[in-house]
């Protein structure tokens, strides 16, 4: 199947700093990318939907100024966690959809804020 | 978005066939049914997708009755490495998926 690559796989950062997570579709053009977060033993929660070249649509309760999403090309979307705090520690997962394809997920990024 | 209901957990033994049923009573005409598998600290991995009747691939089968209000994922002869969370998702192409809690499958030796 198609490949979606996330980078980094894990990151530890200090409280108050910002962290950028990249999501790339390696072998197809992603018309839409989604960002999820997942806490231990819980399901994935959708944070935002992004379409190439337009502003992301955030789910209710997700701060758009804290979780900056950029989808500058059909193969790359980035999520920047600004001024990270320990409660932002989580597993972040992106997924990408092409034209008439199922969703393909990245391997996830484990963020730990200390 | 169609809501799905599936068992929270299931136990099985190695070599057995496992069937996980998902209910999706308000599935829309354009919706497909997709199953994903997730291991700890990994992103979900696509298993199988179908619209109606039966679909089979190298890892699983998906049975969908005529009314499409439910579906059953069948895993033949499971092994320990099939221990994971399985998600049943319903939606049309381009839509985001709303993840339920999934089914935590434990395969015992």
């Amino acid at each position: 199947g198609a490949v979606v690559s996330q980078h980094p796989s894990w990151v530890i950062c200090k409280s108050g700093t910002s962290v950028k997570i990249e999501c790339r579709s390696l072998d197809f053009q992603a018309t839409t990318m989604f960002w999820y977060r997942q806490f231990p033993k819980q399901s994935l929660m959708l944070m935002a939907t992004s379409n190439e070249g337009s502003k992301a649509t955030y789910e209710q309760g997700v701060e758009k100024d804290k979780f900056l999403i950029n989808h500058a090309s059909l193969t790359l979307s980035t999520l920047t966690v600004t001024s990270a705090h320990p409660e932002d520690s989580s597993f972040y997962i992106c997924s990408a959809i092409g034209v008439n394809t199922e969703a393909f997920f990245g391997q996830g990024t484990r963020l730990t804020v200390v | 978005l169609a809501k799905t209901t599936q068992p929270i957990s299931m136990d099985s033994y190695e070599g057995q066939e496992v069937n996980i049923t998902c209910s999706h009573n308000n599935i829309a005409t354009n919706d497909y049914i997709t199953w994903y598998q997730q291991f700890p600290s990994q992103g979900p991995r696509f298993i199988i997708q179908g619209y109606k009747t039966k679909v089979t691939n190298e890892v699983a089968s998906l049975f969908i009755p005529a009314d499409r209000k439910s579906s059953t994922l069948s895993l033949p002869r499971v092994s320990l490495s099939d221990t994971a969370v399985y998600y049943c998702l319903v939606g049309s192409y381009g839509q985001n998926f709303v993840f339920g809690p999934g089914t935590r499958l434990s395969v015992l030796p």
Side-chain angles (χ1 to χ4, degrees), chain B residues 14-25:
Chain B
E14 279 192 292
Q16 288 188 332
E17 177 185 80
V18 171
N19 296 308
I20 307 174
T21 297
C22 177
S23 296
H24 27 81
N25 291 319

Side-chain angles (χ1 to χ4, degrees), chain A residues 5-50:
Chain A
S5 177
Q6 253 182 271
H7 178 81
S9 297
W10 59 271
V11 58
I12 301 172
C13 71
K14 289 184 177 180
S15 187
T17 61
S18 296
V19 172
K20 180 184 284 187
I21 303 170
E22 291 187 349
C23 179
R24 293 180 185 273
S25 56
L26 298 185
D27 51 2
F28 69 103
Q29 293 187 324
T31 53
T32 305
M33 287 187 171
F34 305 99
W35 287 94
Y36 298 83
R37 66 188 297 182
Q38 185 176 32
F39 292 107
K41 302 286 188 185
Q42 293 188 23
S43 187
L44 285 75
M45 287 179 7
L46 180 67
M47 298 174 67
T49 302
S50 76

Side-chain angles (χ1 to χ4, degrees), chain A residues 34 36 38 43-44 46 91 93 97 100-103 105-107 110, chain B residues 36 38 41-44 46 49 87 93-97 99-101:
Chain A
F34 305 99
Y36 298 83
Q38 185 176 32
S43 187
L44 285 75
L46 180 67
F91 192 56
I93 306 170
I97 292 180
N100 290 331
T101 72
E102 63 266 28
F105 288 82
Q107 70 268 41
R110 171 78 56 196
Chain B
Y36 286 86
Q38 187 182 29
S41 297
Q42 293 187 27
F46 173 85
Q49 184 181 71
Y87 295 99
Y93 286 129
Q95 251 184 351
N96 60 283
F97 284 129
F99 280 79

